[in-house]
Amino acid sequence: MTSLVASQRVKTIQRIAVAMLLITGAVNYIDRVALSIANPLVRADLHLSIAEMGVRLSVFLWTYAACQLPVGAAIDRLGPRWLLGIGVIIWSLAQVAVGFVGTMTQFVWTRVFLGVGESPQFPLGARVVRNWYNIRDRGTPTGIFNSASTLGPAIAPPLLTVLMIGLGWRWMFIVIGLAGLVVGVAWFLMYRDPQARGLNQEEVQYLLDGEDNSVGETVTYAEWRRLFGFPTTWGMILRN
């Protein structure tokens, strides 16, 4: 049996979706490492101890990890367009807010919202690939959007150092936060789920060909809650 192929329209949508996932993922990692790069100047300016800075750095990681399971449920209900768009805006506003912090509490809250906003990025990327690629074609786009986790940290040191030296650490956060807001708006404007694209029958067949339709699409709250009873779940959370 001959495998179905994507139409030219679907291929265009695929390229745009993966490119946007790569861009948002790179911004995600640039933003999450920004405090590490600005660490010495922030500590000196705000008279923080190493322990206090450690709290700020770890708050993001714990928030990010804690949000992973709720994010899975949110993807099913809100869909990739809304969830990632809102996430980018939340984490970008948190970065802008860092430029104005003056107290420990304010700083901690910016890190909490950074973790909340960034948490949907990679689970949601897997959903976008599932939405727009046939099961046989998902390896390459998955590798591309996952490469953001190395692209972002590679770009961050020279980019953020230039901004920090030229503008100061506060304006560094403000600038990258504003850039993130532009990326979030671009995602809203450019991405749509298949249901919103008015696909024809052949395009729908391409996306569904080879899928196992015996597995239900909707996960109940009780099923989601059961995940916390498995040691593997906690191992994955603590590993993050």
Side-chain angles (χ1 to χ4, degrees), residues 112-182:
V112 169
F113 281 106
L114 181 69
V116 171
E118 291 201 350
S119 60
Q121 176 74 50
F122 289 93
L124 186 146
R127 172 58 65 88
V128 170
V129 171
R130 178 188 172 189
N131 282 352
W132 280 110
Y133 285 84
N134 181 271
I135 191 171
R136 291 179 290 271
D137 300 331
R138 293 174 185 167
T140 297
T142 299
I144 291 172
F145 88 75
N146 274 317
S147 70
S149 63
T150 52
L151 178 63
I155 295 172
L159 173 63
L160 297 180
T161 300
V162 168
L163 289 174
M164 188 167 55
I165 292 174
L167 303 174
W169 68 267
R170 289 184 181 274
W171 273 103
M172 179 197 78
F173 280 100
I174 293 170
V175 169
I176 61 176
L178 293 175
L181 291 174
V182 173

